[in-house]
Each structure stands twice: as C-alpha cells, then as structure tokens.
Amino acid sequence: MKDFISEFGLTFKQTCLLFSLERRIVVNDIVSSKADKKQEEALKKQMWLNAWEMNINNFLNHLGENQNVLVDITKLEPKSLLEKILNEKTSGNSKAWRYLILLECTLFTSYYPLEQQESYDDNFVDKIKKAFGSLSLNENSRKTSLVMIAELLNIDIKYIDIFRKRHQEALRSLSGFWKKVLLAGGIGMLLAVAIALLFISPIAAFFAASGLSGAAAFSAGMAALGGGAIAAGGFGIAGGIAVLVGGALLLGGGVGVGIGTLAASSSVIVLTELAKMEVVLKEIILGVQHDIQMMQEILMNLNDSLNEMRKEVVKLKMENEKNKEKIKNLEESIEYLKKAIDEFQNMK
C-alpha cells in the first residue's frame, strides 16, 4: 500500500514555501489597498499580517528540522526556496505536492480571527462579521497573486478556477445546508471557510505544534488551519513530513490522532476537508497522476475512518448525556463521509 503521508504531506521546506506564498497573497492585497487610497484598510491588514507572521514563525520553528536556525517567514523568497526544493533528491518525481500547494493557496482566506472567540451566543451574521470584520481580499489582487503562484510552480493557470469551482461544487453536493447557503448568498468558498473557522476553536490548539500551550497553541493552530493545513509535526510523522494538506486529515490514523475525535469536535471541518479531498481525488490523483490504485486505497482508508466514527458514536452513547453535542457532530460527519464515499466511487 502506498504511503498516504508522502502523497498528501509537505516536507518542512515545502511547508515554508506554502506559507511564504500565502504571505505573498496578503502582501499584494495590502499594496492593492494602498493603490486604491484605502490607507486605513491597508493599515488594519498590515496589523493582521504582522500577527499572522508571528504565529506562522512560531508554528514553523516548533516544526523546524534544525532547531539551531530560526525561520523568519518574512525573509523567505519563494523562488529561491522552490529551487532548493527541486534540487533535493527527496522531492522525487511526484507532481502532487506542487498542485497541493496551489490548491491550498487558492482556498486560502486571510483576515480570520487570530485569537479565540470567547462567546458563541452571537447570531450567524454577527459571527461572520466577527471572523472577517471589515477586511477581505481584493479579488483582482487575489487572482493576480494566484496566477503568479501557478506560474512559479509550473502549473497551468486553468487549475486556479478548476480548484475553486470543484471545491464549491463539492460543498454543494455533500450538504443540503451548504447548497442553500451557497446558492442563496452567492459567496461560495469564502463563506464556507469563514464558518469553518468559527467552529474550530475546540480543536485548533489540538493541532498546534508540539510544545505549545494556551494562547500560543491556539494561535498556532488557527494559523495552520486558516492556511488550509494541519500540523503534524508533533505526532511522530516519519520522513520529515511537517504538514498534511488536501483533506488527508480524513485518512484515519495517519496523523496519529483519531478521526473520531476530530469529527466529534466539528462536523464542519469534516465537511470542508471532504470537499477539498474531492478536488484532490478528481483533479490531481485521477486527473494529473492517473493513479487508480491510489484512488482505491484512499477509499479503503476513508471506509476505515467511517467505521472509527461509528465506533466513537457507540462509545459516547454508552458513557453519558454530556456527549450529546459530540454525538450530533459525529453523526453529521458520518453522513457527510458516507455521501462522499458514494460520490468518490463513481469518479472516473
């Protein structure tokens, strides 16, 4: 059986490249705001970027291969970093990691809250406002940045639109709720990511780098999740893999954390990760790599994850009434996963 970690994981340098490219998206957006003479907006965006950079540096330095050298995301130049990666023998012939980085950058949403929300009593609209405030990425700036990233990674720019479209379609098909929201609001992927970020507080710190605690752990976890990536550095992953992407979180015990625990914390995360995995399976595994065997093995692992969720439901129901919310999340996650597996099996 193939190693899913090597297929869906980014090495430490590839992880640095991912975050440096996401930083470039925000930097270009700030330049765009200044060009539009929106100085106050640009200042707020810069303040957010400064905090994000601090969290990312903290995150990366806890994952770092060389603890004697501190990583500074502001000093990493994507082109030279990419050249170093391509010159390494460990990079192999696989194209997947480059497409995965472009996917994560395409789905990247900035200006999310970097601190834990204390109250969850606000209504739906207020929560969205709290997550994004008055800040958002300029769409023209985003497109320009993504074209630059695709060209740097030597990937046809058509995949930018393909990835976004497929992700939105996957969210629509996997959940009636998302279908209503997406069709009625017309705001697509950004709203999906915003809602996901609002409900990951219980698990954000759970996925932070090893050695962090409290607010630092939460910030690092939010930084990783906000970038679409899940930290795996503290979970004993072999081969120098630092970050899992493309929905690989759902492949069961590969990250050293039970999928049942994740699903019980947030069915929204399971839904958004399934949507991302659908993009990866259809456009990268089948479309680019034409790897039918990998597709079959992923389906087997997803079935294992489904069974683990079912076991967790039984366990929680046997314990006590305190687990009603976890059971609800798990049962919703199970339905999402069952539907996703059915759709994945019909892919050609």
Side-chain angles (χ1 to χ4, degrees), residues 203 206-207 249-250 257-271 305-306 308-310 312-313 316 325-334 336-337:
I203 62 170
F206 190 69
F207 290 104
L249 175 66
L250 302 170
V257 181
I259 186 67
T261 303
L262 170 70
S265 299
S266 173
S267 61
V268 180
I269 291 295
V270 173
L271 174 60
S305 295
L306 180 61
E308 185 176 342
M309 290 184 198
R310 286 169 170 162
E312 189 71 14
V313 169
L316 291 172
E325 184 65 24
K326 289 184 178 180
I327 292 170
K328 177 177 175 290
N329 283 328
L330 268 167
E331 289 178 337
E332 289 177 354
S333 297
I334 287 170
Y336 293 144
L337 188 48

Side-chain angles (χ1 to χ4, degrees), residues 82-95:
L82 176 62
E83 290 175 354
K84 290 179 181 178
I85 294 170
L86 294 175
N87 288 331
E88 291 180 342
K89 293 181 180 179
T90 54
S91 65
N93 297 319
S94 174
K95 298 178 182 179

Side-chain angles (χ1 to χ4, degrees), residues 35-53:
D36 292 337
K37 301 187 184 306
K38 298 178 180 178
Q39 298 300 327
E40 184 177 351
E41 177 183 273
L43 179 60
K44 289 180 180 179
K45 289 181 175 181
Q46 185 63 56
M47 291 173 64
W48 183 92
L49 178 61
N50 292 342
W52 182 86
E53 289 169 347

Side-chain angles (χ1 to χ4, degrees), residues 37 218 299:
K37 301 187 184 306
F218 179 84
L299 285 171

